[in-house]
Every structure is written in structure tokens, then in C-alpha cells.
Amino acid sequence: MDTLLFWLVPASSVLALAFAWYFHRQMMRQSEGTPQMKKIAAAVRRGAMSYLRQQYKVVGWVFLGLVILFSVMAYGFGVQNPWVPVAFLTGGFFSGLSGFLGMKTATQASARTANAARQSLNGGLRIAFRSGAVMGLVVVGLGLLDISFWYLLLDAVVPADALTPTHKLCIITTTMLTFGMGASTQALFARVGGGIYTKAADVGADLVGKVEAGIPEDDPRNPATIADNVGDNVGDVAGMGADLFDSNVAAMTSALVIAQSLGGQANTAMVFCYAALGLIASIIGIATARIDKGGSPTRALNASTYVTTGLFIVLTALATLIFRGFSWRIWGASTVGLLVGVIIGITTDYFTDDSKPIVQKVARASRSGSAFTVLSGVSYGFVSALPAMAGIAISALTAYRLCAPMGSDYAMFGIAMAAVGMLSIVGMIISNDAYGPIVDNARGLAEMGGLGEQTIRVADELDSAGNTVKAVTKGFAIGAAGLTVISLLGAYLSEVNEALMAAGKAVITGFDIMDPSVFFGVLIGAAIPAVFSAMLMLGVDKNAQRMVAEIHRQFSSIPGLREGRTGAKPEYDRCIDIATSGALMELIPAGLAAIAATVVVGFVGGPLAIGGFLLGNIVSGLLLALFMSNAGGLWDNAKKYVEAGNEGGKGSKAHKAAVVGDTVGDPFKDTAGPSINTQITVVSLVASLMSGLFAAWSLLG
């Protein structure tokens, strides 16, 4: 069994990377269209790559500082094992690499998608979705390959110690957690920086272009248009790629940590096997995506997701039947996690799809003014959080109850495997998400390239599906993060109890809310997501104000620009520079604040306070993340519903109100909301890695 699974894991990863290369080659063979389209696409690529290079330089200094810290802890004081600095560095590197490769592909695909949309809806969908699949397959392929490499390396190299049998286990688990922290840290800064960049450009372009000047979206007269298109790629592609790489790695890491504590090879093999089969199912599901004549892009993408889901359930059932030591209870837990993830996606679709009543109600409310747009969107956004929160709770409880008869430790392993199950089809989920910014950019290129109303209508149909699946994937990612951090809480308990036993102190069996230390941690932890979100949105606000001022300057100082006279050219690069510099200034403080809060709470209140901190952070963070992601997607599609000719159409009172709602929602759905789940993962991993220090010394704990 072990030999077969050893080959299954890297083989599935290599297969995924091979398909990614094949899809990329297929896309590059297609034409980018007219000379004007090629020129615009090249400008977007340059802007995206320029930002990413500068972001990696800034984040590189953060990583250098943390690597030095881990090196001092490992080689200077001996409180960490020597693998930790290297594992942290490689986790961050591969997370960043995944985002980079995905973004490069997306910027190459947008013009080709727009050009294909001139011929057919299916042609545009095929190029956009398979180009998005490049990132999906690269993220999962690299993640699974790297995790299996680290585990197998450590299992082979680290010697067993007869006197301290847990020594090898501690080294493996700590190193795996550090690898996950590297991926999470990179993902946090990628999400934050990309989110601030894209929404500053988007908000600035919408407020001055649509609302003030009354010019269409993606009109080449708007100086922020290119920056807006660049932002779609650095935020929704590079940022999301790093984010879901982190979520997948964190879910597998927590499952492997718990599997190791249970002993035996069967549980560990089960984690790897299920992950590999999920990747294979995603490859097959991606290949099935197409639109029949008169079909819907949204239905086509959803159908591929359902195919992938069904395949995973069948393949894992067969594996559980074939391999000795695989438990049907664990299979049930992973299946429950996956099915709940799909249900979360369906409920998110209901609240964000412009063919559904909720979006149409918000669009109708826009006829009475922007205040009613905002009020209705906020209300439905909060309501939309309930199904996902209930789904996470039900899946965790069901997985726990299913596996509890096998032992208390197996109950927590069941929750971890529910997270692995939910993220098993992450290759398909990322493909759907990356499809969104590709078709968004394609729609802009169709507008700026003058491809005509028919092509713009096809691009709008592709883009509307992209907005819906982006909202669905954000809900899916947040739901998966919820289950993952619950299992990471189990990993924290394992780590801190090892440290407490070594120090001769009583172990922790749970977190009593009536304990003052726990309650202290809960209150602080619950506040962190709100403060974190506020810092990000204030960053968007400040950067967007600078963008608006620059657009006003260009409209007033460049003769004929607002009117679209021949020879009047906007200074696109100025807006790109403003978005870049502003994002880089704002991306570090919020991330470091969340990490610093974790360290302070740990040293003040001790291990119990950290347990409460993580509980408060999880509950508050999940609620805010779901609310903001869903409300933002709702406002976005309400605007597009009006622009399609409903409730008065473009230029109407309802349209202006809907644009205001979308402007409010942009930093919700693309900056703060999706960044919170990464913040939750980061602080959970920091807590686990520093648990030994919190156990050894705290002020009041």
C-alpha cells in the first residue's frame, strides 16, 4: 500500500503540472486580436509584472527577518529544530510561485479570450476557463508535491529515539506547520497588497468615470482603466492563487499533524491518497467544461464542479474499499466536508447571481437611491452568512460524531479530514476563480479595442458568470478555512500539551469560557478581524483618494481627454504607479498587527488565553469574511443587472446608485473579506509554533 501511494501522490502532481503546461500552450497558440488589443494587453502585463516584482521585494524583507528569527531559535537557542527556517522559506517561495505563474497566464489569456468571443461564446469560455485551470493545477500540483516531499524526507532522515518516542513526531509536525506558516504569510501579504491595489484602481475609475464623467466602464479615456485591469490580475489571480495554496497546505498540514499523533501509516496514507484523488478528479472535471448552443457559462462551470465532486466521492470510496487500514468513518467525514462545501457554493450563488431574486431586489432598491442600495446589500449580506456558518458548524459536528467512536483523537482527525475533503477539489475551485479576472479583463479589452456591441455582449455574459463563480469560490475558500482552523486548533492543543508536559505542567483538555484567561483571549481574538478589515479598507480609501485626485488632474490638464478627441491620450502609467506605491505602503501594517496581537496575548495570558484568542478570531473572522464577500458580490452583480438594461439601464438613477453600491462592495469582496481567512490561518499557525514559549513563560497565565 505504502509503495503504491508513494507513487500516486507525486504522479498526480506531475500529471497536473503537465496538463497546466498543455493548457498554457493551447492558449498561447490563439490570436490576441487587433494591434490595439495587443498594445493594451501588453500594457496590462507590464503593469502586473512590475507590481509583483516590487511586492516580492517588500515581502522578501519580511521573510528575511522571520528566517533570521527562526534561525536564531533553531541554531542559537535550540528551541526549534534545524529544518524550520528552510521549511518556512520554501513554503513562502512556492506560494508566491503559484500566484506568479497564475497571473502570468491570466494576463496572456485575456486578449485571446476577447478575440475568441468575437466568434462564439463557447470559444471564449474554453480559453478563459482552461487558462484559469493553469493556476488551479499549478497551485495544487506544487502544493501536494512539496508537502509529500517534506513529509517523506523528514520521515526518512529524522531518526527514531527510543528514549523519547515523541521526538521524531515533534520534529515532523513542527516542520510541517512551519512550511504551512511560510505559505500563509506569503498568502496574507499577497492578498492584502493585491486587494488594496485592485480596489483603489477600481473605485477611482468607477467614481470619476461612471459617476462623475458618465463614461462607460473600461473606456480608454479613463486614466485608471489600465490600472484597474492590472489590479484584477494582482488581486484576484496572484492573491487568490497564494491564498488557496495556503488553505490547501494548511488543511493537509493539520491533518498530517493529527495523523502522526495517532500513530501508524494508514491515517497518513489516507490523507495523501485522498488529496491525490481529488487532484485527479479536478483534472477530469476541468476537461469537461463546455457550453452547448444556447447554454449558460454559469451552468457550464457549475456542471464541471459537480462532475469533479461526484468523481472524488466515487474514487475515494474505491480507495477505502481497496486499501487496508482506511476507515469508512474517515471517508464519511471527508465526504461530508466536500458536500457542505458544494452547498455553501450553491447558497452563495443564490445571493450573488443576477438571475436570482436577491440581486434583482437590490437592483430594484437602487431606483430609490444609493442609500437603499447600501442598506439592502448590507442586510442580505448578513443573512447570506447564516447558511455557510451553519454548514461549517454542521460539517464539523458531523465529522466529529462520525469519528468519535474510534477515539477522541480520531474525532479531531475527522474534522481535519472534512477540511481536506472540502479542499479536495481546490484545483477546480481555483480554475473557476481565475476564470473571473480573465473574462473581466477580456470585457475591458473588447470595450477598449472597439470590437463592437455583439462581442461586448458575449464578453458581458462571460463576465457575469465570472462574478458569480468568484463569489462562490470565495465562500468555498472561507468555509474551508473555517474547518481548517478548527483542525489547526487541534494541532495547537497537541503542540502546547507537549510543551506543558515537558515543563511538568498540567495539560489542556479544553477551553472553558468561564475561565478568565480564556475569556480574555476570546474578546481580543474577536476584535482582531474587525480591526484588520478596517486597516485594509482604510488603505483602499487612502489609495483611492490619491487615484481620484490624479484622474481629476488628467481630465483638467489634458485638453480633449474627457471628450475623447483624437490625440488626447491619458497617462496610464501615473495611475499604475499610484496604485503600486499605495498598495506597498499599506500591505505590511495589517498583517504584522495580527501576528503581533497573537504574540502579545500569548505572553500575557498564556496557552489558555491563546486558545480563547483563536476561538474568538475564528468565529468573528468567518462571519465578517462571509458577510463582506457575499455583500460585495451581490452589489457587483446588481450593478451589472442594471447595466444589462434592467431598472432603467445605463445612465439611469438606479445605475448611479448601483455603481455607488459596487464601490462600497469592492473593498469588501476583494480586499478585506478574502484576506480574513488567510489572517485566521496565519495566527493559528503562529500560535502553534510559539506554543512552547507561551507554555514556558507568560505574565498572567
Side-chain angles (χ1 to χ4, degrees):
M1 179 180 71
D2 292 341
T3 303
L4 176 62
L5 292 174
F6 171 78
W7 289 108
L8 179 60
V9 173
S12 63
S13 301
V14 172
L15 182 65
L17 296 173
F19 267 95
W21 174 80
Y22 172 72
F23 289 152
H24 183 268
R25 282 203 61 180
Q26 271 194 326
M27 177 269 295
M28 291 297 292
R29 288 173 179 166
Q30 307 302 314
S31 171
E32 284 194 284
T34 66
Q36 177 69 3
M37 291 169 64
K38 292 178 182 178
K39 183 179 177 182
I40 296 167
V44 172
R45 274 196 296 274
R46 283 196 305 272
M49 291 301 172
S50 174
Y51 169 76
L52 213 58
R53 281 195 297 270
Q54 294 183 62
Q55 180 191 354
Y56 286 167
K57 285 180 184 177
V58 174
V59 175
W61 285 108
V62 176
F63 265 78
L64 179 62
L66 290 171
V67 168
I68 291 173
L69 174 64
F70 284 132
S71 297
V72 171
M73 293 171 68
Y75 308 123
F77 298 104
V79 295
Q80 284 291 3
N81 72 74
W83 298 97
V84 160
V86 183
F88 176 79
L89 197 59
T90 57
F93 173 79
F94 285 110
S95 178
L97 179 63
S98 299
F100 170 80
L101 293 174
M103 193 195 71
K104 186 174 181 180
T105 302
T107 57
Q108 293 168 330
S110 53
R112 292 172 170 87
T113 299
N115 191 55
R118 300 166 74 181
Q119 308 300 321
S120 71
L121 184 66
N122 188 58
L125 175 92
R126 187 180 178 89
I127 290 176
F129 183 62
R130 291 197 170 186
S131 298
V134 172
M135 186 174 77
L137 297 175
V138 164
V139 165
V140 186
L142 285 178
L144 188 54
L145 196 63
D146 296 332
I147 290 173
S148 61
F149 167 79
W150 269 109
Y151 174 79
L152 293 167
L153 174 67
L154 293 169
D155 190 49
V157 171
V158 178
D161 192 332
L163 297 176
T164 53
T166 59
H167 176 68
K168 181 173 182 175
L169 171 63
C170 286
I171 290 178
I172 292 176
T173 56
T174 302
T175 306
M176 297 295 291
L177 287 169
T178 312
F179 177 86
M181 184 183 170
S184 297
T185 304
Q186 165 59 31
L188 180 64
F189 291 125
R191 257 305 186 194
V192 168
I196 293 173
Y197 184 112
T198 183
K199 293 305 108 180
D202 198 359
V203 169
D206 279 357
L207 284 178
V208 183
K210 287 185 178 180
V211 179
E212 292 183 18
I215 59 179
E217 186 173 7
D218 300 313
D219 192 297
R221 289 173 288 174
N222 194 326
T225 296
I226 300 296
D228 187 12
N229 282 277
V230 170
D232 289 335
N233 291 288
V234 299
D236 289 337
V237 181
M240 176 58 91
D243 184 356
L244 285 174
F245 182 95
D246 150 52
S247 295
N248 195 38
V249 166
M252 285 200 62
T253 297
S254 62
L256 287 169
V257 167
I258 299 172
Q260 282 290 293
S261 67
L262 294 171
Q265 292 295 314
N267 295 317
T268 303
M270 202 171 187
V271 176
F272 282 124
C273 179
Y274 279 24
L277 293 175
L279 183 50
I280 292 169
S282 293
I283 294 170
I284 297 170
I286 289 165
T288 64
R290 61 170 290 108
I291 303 176
D292 296 323
K293 191 173 181 180
S296 160
T298 301
R299 283 198 298 271
L301 296 174
N302 287 339
S304 295
T305 302
Y306 299 147
V307 168
T308 304
T309 301
L311 277 172
F312 174 79
I313 293 172
V314 172
L315 290 173
T316 51
L318 288 172
T320 306
L321 185 66
I322 293 170
F323 295 121
R324 189 171 52 201
F326 282 21
S327 168
W328 284 105
R329 290 183 177 274
I330 302 297
W331 174 84
S334 68
T335 301
V336 165
L338 176 57
L339 293 176
V340 168
V342 173
I343 292 169
I344 290 173
I346 292 170
T347 58
T348 303
D349 177 78
Y350 178 77
F351 281 95
T352 58
D353 190 340
D354 60 8
S355 67
K356 303 294 193 303
I358 300 298
V359 171
Q360 295 174 11
K361 286 179 180 178
V362 174
R364 195 173 305 121
S366 299
R367 298 174 67 175
S368 301
S370 56
F372 294 93
T373 308
V374 174
L375 282 171
S376 59
V378 167
S379 302
Y380 287 122
F382 274 121
V383 172
S384 73
L386 177 60
M389 293 288 283
I392 296 168
I394 291 168
S395 62
L397 182 60
T398 304
Y400 188 94
R401 296 297 186 195
L402 267 174
C403 301
M406 301 172 67
S408 58
D409 291 337
Y410 274 94
M412 189 57 71
F413 184 54
I415 296 175
M417 288 302 291
V420 171
M422 189 177 284
L423 281 163
S424 60
I425 62 168
V426 72
M428 171 61 72
I429 300 302
I430 297 174
S431 302
N432 281 336
D433 191 83
Y435 162 90
I438 291 172
V439 293
D440 192 359
N441 270 211
R443 196 268 175 213
L445 282 162
E447 179 89 44
M448 289 184 282
L451 299 187
E453 286 300 319
Q454 175 59 31
T455 302
I456 292 174
R457 277 197 295 272
V458 172
D460 273 333
E461 190 172 351
L462 293 169
D463 189 24
S464 180
N467 283 323
T468 300
V469 296
K470 276 199 301 181
V472 171
T473 56
K474 286 184 176 72
F476 198 97
I478 294 165
L483 281 177
T484 300
V485 293
I486 294 172
S487 61
L488 283 173
L489 190 60
Y492 166 73
L493 270 174
S494 297
E495 290 291 306
V496 78
N497 281 336
E498 287 284 344
L500 289 169
M501 285 189 291
K505 299 180 179 180
V507 298
I508 298 172
T509 57
F511 303 106
D512 184 358
I513 194 69
M514 298 303 294
D515 187 302
S517 294
V518 176
F519 192 63
F520 160 76
V522 168
L523 291 179
I524 303 298
I528 294 301
V531 175
F532 178 77
S533 300
M535 293 177 72
L536 299 189
M537 288 189 286
L538 285 170
V540 172
D541 177 54
K542 288 187 284 187
N543 215 20
Q545 288 190 43
R546 289 192 286 265
M547 186 70 69
V548 167
E550 174 59 22
I551 299 170
H552 281 152
R553 185 197 68 78
Q554 292 196 33
F555 275 151
S556 62
S557 65
I558 301 175
L561 178 60
R562 187 189 294 262
E563 296 79 17
R565 294 178 192 166
T566 304
K569 295 183 179 179
E571 297 171 0
Y572 296 124
D573 289 344
R574 293 289 297 273
C575 291
I576 292 173
D577 290 342
I578 288 171
T580 299
S581 60
L584 294 174
M585 276 193 299
E586 304 293 342
L587 73 85
I588 298 295
L592 291 184
I595 295 171
T598 311
V599 175
V600 170
V601 168
F603 282 127
V604 172
L608 284 173
I610 283 292
F613 178 89
L614 295 179
L615 288 171
N617 195 254
I618 291 167
V619 175
S620 169
L622 288 177
L623 176 62
L624 281 175
L626 288 164
F627 157 67
M628 287 192 287
S629 293
N630 290 348
L634 194 164
W635 279 316
D636 193 352
N637 274 346
K639 177 199 69 175
K640 292 189 180 302
Y641 181 75
V642 174
E643 289 177 342
N646 303 293
E647 307 298 342
K650 290 183 180 179
S652 64
K653 181 180 178 181
H655 183 223
K656 291 182 178 180
V659 170
V660 172
D662 182 39
T663 303
V664 173
D666 273 338
F668 275 35
K669 70 180 174 67
D670 289 327
T671 306
S675 297
I676 290 175
N677 66 308
T678 311
Q679 174 263 313
I680 297 171
T681 306
V682 168
V683 301
S684 298
L685 289 165
V686 169
S688 291
L689 289 170
M690 298 195 67
S691 58
L693 294 175
F694 300 151
W697 187 90
S698 63
L699 185 63
L700 302 174

